[in-house]
């Protein structure tokens, strides 16, 4: 049974790879559909998150001049917030769009035998195209902080791992949302609250130690700490970060595999 479940997930991965050309075309069309009819075109894809980041710097660093205490990975509040908020925005965008992707494509899936995984994968890749360049831009903007220390080499691994995390979670939630539409409402609430239950708005050292385990229930906590180490300090993320990243990917991969096996015959009917 375990081997059968594992084969299900590997089969999904092989199918997506074999249909990578179609997936790329779907991703481009999804990206274009977000700005269709606008004079600014793709500018409107990157401008909102860029303006959000600029506001953080303006308000917290220039206007209020807020600073974090000792032990924080950065002293300026705005600089600290940006490193956590940008990956969180990418995660929330990918998961929320991917979660509804199967329901939105229900009519198409009922008429065409396309692999269901194409649709959450499209949502995640579109989000990656939007936010990955901005995160890489932070690497350049924060150069005075990290001075290109060797730890910055961990950034591609963090980005790739976050893309895999987003796909596994988005696909899992998309299947659950097809069976029960209330899932989307619950998850949207959790996404709005999740930013407060991760070390994005505050250093992890400021959270009460006996309640700190709650932060690790948020899958983005490990990634947030990883980005803070890489972008703010140029340091390789500690082993605990990589262990939690691996644990979340293994857990979600196993859960998705089981769900795909059990929902194979009913998924199209749910849509």
């Amino acid at each position: 049974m375990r081997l059968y479940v594992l084969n299900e997930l590997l089969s999904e991965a092989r199918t997506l790879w074999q249909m990578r050309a179609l997936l790329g075309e779907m991703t481009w069309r999804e990206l274009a559909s977000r700005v269709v009819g606008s004079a600014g075109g793709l500018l409107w894809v990157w401008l909102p998150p860029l303006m959000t980041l600029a506001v953080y710097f303006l308000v917290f660093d220039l206007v209020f001049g807020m600073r974090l205490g000792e032990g924080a990975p950065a002293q300026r509040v705005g600089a600290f917030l940006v490193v956590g908020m940008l990956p969180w925005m990418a995660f929330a965008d990918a998961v929320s769009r991917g979660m509804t992707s199967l329901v939105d494509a229900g009519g198409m899936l009922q008429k065409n035998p396309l692999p269901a995984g194409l649709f959450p994968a499209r949502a995640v890749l579109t989000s990656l195209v939007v936010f990955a360049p901005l995160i890489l831009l932070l690497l350049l903007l924060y150069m005075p902080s990290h001075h290109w220390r060797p730890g910055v080499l961990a950034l591609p691994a963090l980005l790739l791992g976050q893309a895999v995390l987003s796909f596994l979670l988005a696909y899992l939630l998309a299947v659950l949302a097809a069976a029960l539409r209330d899932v989307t409402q619950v998850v949207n609430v959790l996404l709005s609250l999740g930013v407060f239950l991760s070390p994005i708005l505050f250093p992890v050292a400021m959270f009460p130690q006996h309640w700190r385990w709650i932060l690790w229930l948020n899958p983005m906590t490990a990634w947030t700490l990883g980005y803070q180490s890489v972008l703010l300090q140029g340091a390789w993320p500690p082993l605990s970060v990589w262990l939690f990243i691996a644990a979340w990917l293994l857990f979600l991969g196993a859960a998705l595999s089981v769900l795909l096996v059990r929902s194979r015959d009913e998924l199209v009917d749910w849509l």
Side-chain angles (χ1 to χ4, degrees), residues 16 34 71 74 93 103 110-111 118-119 129 146 156 163 166 188 192 197 199 210 233-234 237 254 261:
L16 291 177
R34 297 189 185 186
D93 180 77
V103 174
Q110 289 174 349
K111 298 177 182 178
L118 282 173
F119 297 92
V129 170
H146 54 68
S166 301
N188 284 331
S192 64
L197 294 176
H210 59 284
Q233 300 172 324
V261 170

Side-chain angles (χ1 to χ4, degrees), residues 36-270:
V36 63
S38 63
L42 291 178
L43 175 65
W44 292 111
V45 172
W46 287 285
L47 189 59
L50 282 175
M51 293 299 295
T52 301
L53 302 185
V55 167
Y56 285 146
F57 281 116
L58 177 64
V59 173
F60 294 105
D61 289 352
L62 299 181
V63 176
F64 292 108
M66 298 178 66
R67 298 292 183 266
L68 295 170
E70 296 183 2
Q75 292 302 307
R76 295 181 299 166
V77 173
F80 177 82
L81 288 176
V82 166
V83 169
M85 281 300 300
L86 189 56
W88 176 264
M89 291 163 63
F91 171 75
D93 180 77
V95 171
S96 61
R97 292 178 184 273
M99 175 178 57
T100 60
S101 61
L102 293 183
V103 174
D104 294 340
M108 183 183 301
L109 287 172
Q110 289 174 349
K111 298 177 182 178
N112 301 284
L114 291 172
L118 282 173
F119 297 92
R122 176 188 62 182
V124 172
L125 285 178
T126 303
S127 178
L128 186 66
V129 170
V130 173
F131 287 97
L134 301 181
I135 296 175
L136 293 174
L137 178 62
L138 288 183
L139 185 65
L140 300 176
L141 295 178
Y142 283 57
M143 184 175 59
S145 299
H146 54 68
H147 299 293
W148 296 103
R149 296 190 181 101
V152 301
L153 297 176
L155 185 59
L158 290 173
L159 288 172
L160 178 60
Q162 182 173 335
V164 175
L165 171 80
S166 301
F167 170 72
L168 294 175
L169 185 56
Y171 198 177
L172 178 71
L173 293 173
V175 176
L176 293 176
L180 184 64
R181 300 299 194 269
D182 295 336
V183 169
T184 59
Q185 307 300 327
V186 174
V187 173
N188 284 331
V189 172
L190 293 177
L191 287 174
S192 64
L193 296 177
V195 69
F196 299 101
L197 294 176
S198 63
I200 294 175
L201 304 179
F202 50 83
V204 68
M206 295 180 62
F207 204 79
Q209 187 169 4
H210 59 284
W211 290 108
R212 206 166 290 175
W213 59 271
I214 296 178
L215 298 179
W216 294 104
L217 298 179
N218 187 331
M220 278 301 290
T221 290
W223 270 270
T224 299
L225 294 176
Y227 287 122
Q228 290 172 355
S229 296
V230 170
L231 295 175
L232 295 176
Q233 300 172 324
W236 195 267
L239 179 61
S240 59
V241 167
W242 296 113
L243 290 177
F244 272 100
I245 286 176
W248 268 108
L249 294 181
L250 289 173
F251 169 73
L252 290 175
L256 177 60
S257 298
V258 173
L259 186 61
L260 290 177
V261 170
R262 296 187 175 182
S263 64
R264 178 188 300 167
D265 299 328
E266 293 85 5
L267 181 57
V268 174
D269 295 333
W270 292 341

Side-chain angles (χ1 to χ4, degrees), residues 16-36:
L16 291 177
W17 176 253
Q18 292 168 356
M19 306 188 72
R20 58 189 181 276
L22 175 60
L23 180 58
E25 180 65 23
M26 292 172 62
T27 300
W28 170 250
R29 291 188 179 185
E30 171 69 15
L31 189 63
S33 69
R34 297 189 185 186
V35 295
V36 63

